[in-house]
Amino acid sequence: MGDYVTPGEEPPQPGIYRSEQMCLAQLYLQSDASYQCVAELGELGLVQFRDLNPDVSSFQRKYVNEVRRCDEMERKLRYLEREIKKDQIPMLDTGENPDAPLPREMIDLEATFEKLENELREVNKNEETLKKNFSELTELKHILRKTQTFFEEVDHDRWRILEGGSGRRGRSTEREETRPLIDIGDMDDDSAARMSAQAAMLRLGFVAGVIQRERLPAFERLLWRACRGNVFLRTSEIDDVLNDTVTGDPVNKCVFIIFFQGDHLKTKVKKICEGFRATLYPCPDTPQERREMSIGVMTRIEDLKTVLGQTQDHRHRVLVAASKNVRMWLTKVRKIKSIYHTLNLFNIDVTQKCLIAEVWCPIAELDRIKMALKRGTDESGSQVPSILNRMETNEAPPTYNKTNKFTKGFQNIVDAYGIATYREINPAPYTMISFPFLFAVMFGDMGHGAIMLLAALFFILKEKQLEAARIKDEIFQTFFGGRYVIFLMGAFSIYTGFMYNDVFSKSINTFGSSWQNTIPESVIDYYLDDEKRSESQLILPPETAFDGNPYPIGVDPVWNLAEGNKLSFLNSMKMKMSVLFGIAQMTFGVLLSYQNFIYFKSDLDIKYMFIPQMIFLSSIFIYLCIQILSKWLFFGAVGGTVLGYKYPGSNCAPSLLIGLINMFMMKSRNAGFVDDSGETYPQCYLSTWYPGQATIEIILVVLALVQVPIMLFAKPYFLYRRDKQQSRYSTLTAESNQHQSVRADINQDDAEVVHAPEQTPKPSGHGHGHGDGPLEMGDVMVYQAIHTIEFVLGCVSHTASYLRLWALSLAHAQLSDVLWTMVFRNAFVLDGYTGAIATYILFFIFGSLSVFILVLMEGLSAFLHALRLHWVEFQSKFYGGLGYEFAPFSFEKILAEEREAEENL
């Protein structure tokens, strides 16, 4: 089939058309220089390391202790970060990318972080203790105030009753809270005096404390039931809101005082208080002692406030100083950690002085990689240079497609279907044009396209500010990440809207219509005079109304006024246009498969896959496209002679769909549109319309059907024959020929000659699923049958699938027309101030619905359909998508992933 280009030797071409050429290489690094060399490679981000110790657990690797130290430093920095955020201190993030620290600097960083953590923990512990003491003293202050009030009320009431005698007995309705503990108001004088003396001897005990307000009702009930009503409880709410010493959350508490008699009740009361987590405080018996204690508490509170303020100021200063460097420290620690994690993938030679690594790297970047290794060796002070040695391998390399901020969005669309097989055609550069174009075919409207274009333009012009803002909203990130895709979709939508002559369902008469009104005014007046007749639709005959010169570009604006047959005309045009675009893209996909076969030197695929596919596609579908174009070019409203046949007029324009069916059924049809006498055939649109059409179509159908068994059996047969020939040749060679080889002993200065049979290389793969190894005919036949059936049936189903271009375009235009008619046009019916107000209101409604329904929802629908057309209909013709992505060791990527993980927490 001609000269083939061997992989790795083809002329240079931009990596965007195929993935970059990759090679497997070995790195030999001296132990002292390995850290710096890996750091330089991490800054470069062009090397993917392979794990040479897959059977060794993570805890048994050489640098596991260093990784643990990095984890510990990262933990301390996250602790600092949490404390800084808790105090709402802004962290300085300049975006600076410091170099990876040297291994000896790791000790200094550890000492700095250890000192900061210990200092901060000590300050936090002191602050927590001070806050706890402050809270306890505050509660004690409220207890002393409230208990003093309790005792003053009791003493006041007792002396008042003793002085007032029986004159106070009528106060049986007095509130329970204001009565004395032992009420002697209902006794006579002698009993009262005796009871007073006994009360003095009773000496009731009491405890005072603080309890949370929500626990108080249950506390009262349990206290009453457990003590059988032999205690007296008084409570009072604390007006100030106190803070919990552990969580810092505000809590509402109450002061209580419980009076009881005897040690047994005292024990019960204390256990109940302990169960409800009430805090008990000492309270003196005499007013004088309580007053003195209250003064002491107030003094201590003031001192604590001073000390607590100083402690908080010191803590704030420590955190402010740390906030200036914490982001930079995190970057350094993560770089160190990633370096040691990568070094754990290396092998160590027997001398323990050299580290060996295997890496995938782009061939075009080998010079930069070697320079990075040289810089790392020089910075480490090593005298032994680092060595990079290319290796030969049969393993499939990773796929690496270079992207920038413009091409990344389209590459992501392709990669979402599957990562390209190594060095196969990359669909992304073609998708950059075809994807927004097919989207625009379905979305075509200049107004809606302009809205989309302006939105994308805003994202593009403000991209630096929006990136710096780090907006976490997922929907926003989706639109922002695809801003260039949206930009092209909007631009193409404006173009297709211009071709459709559609702006918010309205047309623009830019060049002047090619149609003119040929209906006499008397006929028009006759229809307008009667209300019923005014609803009639008049048709402009193209023979007289059309001047013969088509509209210069796009759709003639007169069709926007044609209520009767507007949809018929646009449906016919868009349906045929969809078929043309679809078959053109499918044919382009098959042509791209030829480039893959050429590159992978698969002559069987070219002869027995590509050529039969093109013949099959041309015999039926490309022939259909030629018919569509011919019908547009040759058959008009005016009769004449077309391709040697007399053409009566538009009623005899050939029906392509029924003609295609008749082509497969091989039906006999009339030749031409009129018989020998000049009479038009009854169904002249079913006649053949060029000489020899019936014969040509029979040949095309037979030619297409013949390609199916060729695609199904030819390639498996030749693969089987080639395999047999290679097996016979290998057997003969093994029996007749033996070759001498030399085996050297690296530990001694001698060598020996040995005899070994020549090893015949295994047949290389033939592309599309056939790799090295023995040929399995069953698998080959199943694989070939699947691909043949998929292609043959796919040509039909995929052509029908492209009709979604017509369907969605029609739906979008009709929705836009309905929105204009049902909403905004009503504003023009009203006059005066009412009309002005209605115009503003209805325009707001019209604009909102246009954006949310026609731009967002319809745009999303068109996007998904365009995505399907590319993944299934286009890429299935040539794209394998069986590769794996190149994942280089890159500090930039690692830090970005860590930052994203932090933001998602």
Side-chain angles (χ1 to χ4, degrees), residues 413-710:
I413 289 175
V414 173
D415 291 346
Y417 175 82
I419 303 299
T421 307
Y422 176 66
R423 295 297 287 169
E424 76 171 337
I425 287 287
N426 180 20
Y430 315 107
T431 303
M432 293 175 196
I433 299 301
S434 62
F435 185 87
F437 177 72
L438 291 186
F439 169 88
V441 170
M442 295 180 276
F443 191 76
D445 188 294
M446 281 193 283
H448 301 150
I451 293 174
M452 189 174 289
L453 180 72
L454 291 175
L457 203 58
F458 170 78
F459 287 142
I460 292 171
L461 296 177
K462 299 288 184 181
E463 63 182 15
K464 291 185 178 179
Q465 296 92 319
L466 294 173
E467 284 175 351
R470 298 188 180 279
I471 300 172
K472 299 179 182 179
D473 184 73
E474 187 174 354
I475 296 177
F476 173 82
Q477 287 297 332
T478 301
F479 284 109
F480 181 71
R483 57 193 179 277
Y484 290 100
V485 179
I486 298 173
F487 177 81
L488 283 184
M489 290 193 304
F492 274 89
S493 296
I494 294 175
Y495 166 73
T496 53
F498 179 72
M499 299 303 293
Y500 293 156
N501 206 343
D502 198 353
V503 187
F504 296 114
S505 79
K506 299 289 110 181
S507 295
I508 300 175
N509 191 2
T510 308
F511 304 105
S513 175
S514 298
W515 292 73
Q516 56 185 349
N517 184 11
T518 58
I519 301 175
E521 293 184 7
S522 58
V523 177
I524 297 175
D525 293 338
Y526 169 75
Y527 280 96
L528 292 179
D529 288 343
D530 187 87
E531 185 175 351
K532 292 183 179 179
R533 289 198 300 265
S534 64
E535 298 296 329
S536 302
Q537 292 182 349
L538 301 179
I539 297 178
L540 295 177
E543 294 85 354
T544 57
F546 182 60
D547 62 9
N549 298 316
Y551 196 68
I553 183 169
V555 177
D556 196 303
V558 75
W559 287 106
N560 195 48
L561 305 175
E563 297 182 0
N565 57 353
K566 172 186 175 182
L567 283 181
S568 300
F569 168 76
L570 293 179
N571 279 350
S572 175
M573 181 196 74
K574 291 183 178 180
M575 181 172 64
K576 293 180 176 65
M577 180 185 67
S578 300
V579 172
L580 290 175
F581 289 154
I583 294 175
Q585 189 175 35
M586 288 194 298
T587 306
F588 182 64
V590 176
L591 292 173
L592 288 179
S593 71
Y594 173 75
Q595 295 297 322
N596 279 336
F597 299 150
I598 284 287
Y599 179 83
F600 292 112
K601 300 196 299 184
S602 182
D603 56 340
L604 290 181
D605 280 313
I606 295 174
K607 294 175 182 177
Y608 305 115
M609 288 296 292
F610 168 72
I611 294 177
Q613 285 177 356
M614 284 302 299
I615 294 174
F616 182 87
L617 202 62
S618 303
S619 300
I620 300 173
F621 299 98
I622 295 179
Y623 175 69
L624 176 62
C625 293
I626 295 173
Q627 286 184 309
I628 292 173
L629 295 174
S630 299
K631 183 176 179 178
W632 279 347
L633 291 174
F634 302 137
F635 297 94
V638 182
T641 301
V642 176
L643 299 175
Y645 288 132
K646 183 180 180 182
Y647 173 59
S650 59
N651 60 321
C652 287
S655 175
L656 300 183
L657 180 59
I658 300 177
L660 188 65
I661 295 172
N662 291 334
M663 171 182 168
F664 280 99
M665 297 181 67
M666 299 183 183
K667 277 189 176 182
S668 61
R669 289 165 284 174
N670 297 319
F673 307 104
V674 296
D675 55 19
D676 295 336
S677 61
E679 293 292 329
T680 304
Y681 288 120
Q683 292 181 323
C684 58
Y685 54 87
L686 298 180
S687 303
T688 58
W689 46 274
Y690 65 88
Q693 180 178 352
T695 305
I696 291 175
E697 288 181 350
I698 291 174
I699 295 173
L700 291 177
V701 170
V702 172
L703 198 59
L705 293 177
V706 167
Q707 305 311 309
V708 177
I710 294 176

Side-chain angles (χ1 to χ4, degrees), residues 180-243:
L181 181 62
I182 302 176
D183 194 350
I184 60 175
D186 295 334
M187 305 178 183
D188 54 20
D189 294 341
D190 295 336
S191 298
R194 188 166 55 254
M195 201 65 184
S196 177
Q198 291 176 358
M201 296 172 63
L202 287 176
R203 294 189 179 182
L204 297 176
F206 69 91
V207 291
V210 175
I211 190 172
Q212 290 189 17
R213 188 183 299 172
E214 58 267 18
R215 296 177 183 170
L216 186 59
F219 179 67
E220 288 184 4
R221 285 195 301 271
L222 185 59
L223 199 61
W224 175 262
R225 292 171 183 172
C227 299
R228 301 176 184 273
N230 292 319
V231 296
F232 181 74
L233 174 68
R234 292 290 299 275
T235 62
S236 178
E237 293 185 1
I238 298 177
D239 297 331
D240 299 338
V241 178
L242 305 177
N243 292 326

Side-chain angles (χ1 to χ4, degrees), residues 161-173:
I161 293 170
L162 290 174
E163 290 176 359
S166 59
R168 302 289 183 184
R169 294 176 185 174
R171 303 184 59 189
S172 59
T173 60

Side-chain angles (χ1 to χ4, degrees), residues 120-132:
L120 195 56
R121 289 192 181 277
E122 184 179 357
V123 170
N124 286 344
K125 185 178 180 182
N126 293 338
E127 184 182 11
E128 186 178 341
T129 303
L130 291 172
K131 284 184 177 179
K132 185 177 180 181

